[in-house]
Amino acid sequence: SMGGVSTHAGLFSDLESLGRFGLILRQAYYQGSALASKQTARTFLKRAIPESQGDFAIGYMMPTRPKKGAPAT
């Protein structure tokens, strides 16, 4: 036990705040913003590990894209 502290704790928020954060990050990715430059947003959204090892970016999971030829679920 680490006393409630862990690197896999994730992001805790309400839906409204999380949606706002996503919109800010998207704006920064394309245009830059007061909170983050384009480069910071692109780094935050870049895959952190090889796809064969998982779907993680910095601090969260990325959407998994279907593999070519894989049956739809």
Side-chain angles (χ1 to χ4, degrees), residues 5 7-8 17 20 24-25 39 42 46-47 50 57 61 66:
V5 177
T7 58
H8 72 282
S17 296
R20 219 180 270 139
I24 290 168
L25 190 58
Q39 184 61 38
R42 288 169 190 240
K46 183 179 175 185
R47 182 175 295 283
M61 288 185 73

Side-chain angles (χ1 to χ4, degrees), residues 11-38:
L11 177 65
F12 296 95
S13 180
D14 60 45
L15 187 58
E16 182 178 346
S17 296
L18 184 59
R20 219 180 270 139
F21 174 73
L23 291 173
I24 290 168
L25 190 58
R26 185 177 75 174
Q27 178 186 5
Y29 183 87
Y30 290 108
Q31 303 168 355
S33 75
L35 296 177
S37 68
K38 283 184 186 181

